[in-house]
Amino acid sequence: MVKSTIIVRASDALPLAASVDDEQTETALQEHKQQAKLIFRRITPNAEPRCSIESGQHTLHYLIADNVVYLVISDKSYPRKLAFSYLDELSKEFATSYGAKVDTVRKPYAFVGFDTFMSKTARLYQDTRTAGAAGGAMDKLNDELQDVTRIMTKNMEELLWRGDSLDRMSHLSTSLRSESEKYRKAARNVNIQAMIRQYAPIGGVLFIVILLLWWRFS
């Protein structure tokens, strides 16, 4: 389910708005909210506009639009398509209400009033059954989303300890390495199969000759 939401300015990670979480949620997600701050610092102009970062039993999904980062912390089992549907809806409403003011505000949480909309929308996405029903009533929003299988997925350990980047080129490089490895494996399999086809007849003939010689002289 949707646990907590944070909205910041992409250029300097200035907090713009956040969901009002109860004490239990705040305590449970304290570490993940610190991780969210790390993600905001890693975002650059070349960062992937949509990304899912797995961390223990939770996943941090973010969406970047018009110099604003929308991040939601959800259960790891929560469908990515619904998470990004939720973020997409927030981004559209936020842009309509505050888009013109984003680049000029100086104080943190200048748009704290947006929590009302976030809370109302989050309730629709609390679990997959509710969100599925809500999706049909909201102009088929889920069907309009891009294919989530193309969204970059990272592990929090990769960001914390390996210093991985959220940039598009980093994602492309990783994808190219993966595809290159798949190609090498496929090529190796093709070569092995070609050798089998080439030498199998010869091996069969030799086996028959040896069998005949053994039968003759035994």
Side-chain angles (χ1 to χ4, degrees):
M1 64 166 60
V2 171
K3 295 286 191 177
S4 183
T5 308
I6 309 168
I7 301 175
V8 306
R9 189 162 58 195
S11 56
D12 58 3
L14 178 73
L16 300 176
S19 58
V20 179
D21 303 326
D22 58 41
E23 185 176 352
Q24 182 179 358
T25 300
E26 191 70 33
T27 301
L29 297 180
Q30 186 175 5
E31 180 181 358
H32 294 87
K33 289 191 176 185
Q34 291 298 319
Q35 293 171 349
K37 293 180 181 179
L38 169 67
I39 293 171
F40 297 144
R41 291 197 298 269
R42 292 288 177 88
I43 287 175
T44 70
N46 294 320
E48 281 286 334
R50 294 172 184 253
C51 182
S52 297
I53 301 164
E54 298 174 348
S55 177
Q57 297 303 310
H58 295 85
T59 302
L60 291 77
H61 308 276
Y62 78 71
L63 178 155
I64 305 174
D66 300 321
N67 196 30
V68 178
V69 183
Y70 305 86
L71 183 144
V72 62
I73 303 173
S74 70
D75 292 325
K76 191 173 184 179
S77 59
Y78 192 75
R80 279 204 299 172
K81 188 169 185 177
L82 291 180
F84 282 100
S85 176
Y86 168 71
L87 293 176
D88 211 53
E89 193 167 354
L90 294 188
S91 71
K92 291 176 180 178
E93 180 65 24
F94 191 85
T96 300
S97 302
Y98 308 111
K101 304 176 183 178
V102 167
D103 293 331
T104 60
V105 296
R106 294 291 179 265
K107 65 177 183 177
Y109 301 104
F111 310 120
V112 66
F114 192 63
D115 171 67
T116 302
F117 181 83
M118 281 194 290
S119 298
K120 180 181 68 175
T121 307
R123 281 195 295 270
L124 296 175
Y125 285 85
Q126 279 310 305
D127 58 55
T128 55
R129 293 170 299 177
T130 305
M138 294 185 292
D139 300 324
K140 299 181 180 179
L141 181 61
N142 290 339
D143 293 335
E144 296 173 3
L145 285 176
Q146 63 187 42
D147 185 1
V148 294
T149 60
R150 298 184 180 183
I151 294 174
M152 181 169 72
T153 301
K154 287 278 188 179
N155 186 283
M156 185 56 68
E157 290 185 1
E158 296 173 343
L159 294 177
L160 288 173
W161 309 117
R162 302 180 194 174
D164 274 21
S165 171
L166 294 171
D167 290 358
R168 292 187 182 92
M169 291 306 295
S170 172
H171 184 209
L172 178 60
S173 176
T174 301
S175 298
L176 288 175
R177 286 197 299 270
S178 177
E179 291 301 320
S180 177
E181 181 63 26
K182 289 179 182 178
Y183 175 79
R184 284 196 295 270
K185 289 181 179 179
R188 187 162 57 246
N189 290 336
V190 169
N191 289 336
I192 292 173
Q193 292 173 9
M195 290 178 62
I196 292 174
R197 286 194 297 268
Q198 181 178 355
Y199 295 108
I202 298 175
V205 171
L206 288 174
F207 176 75
I208 293 173
V209 170
I210 293 172
L211 189 62
L212 290 173
L213 290 174
W214 175 84
W215 177 79
R216 182 174 180 180
F217 295 103
S218 60

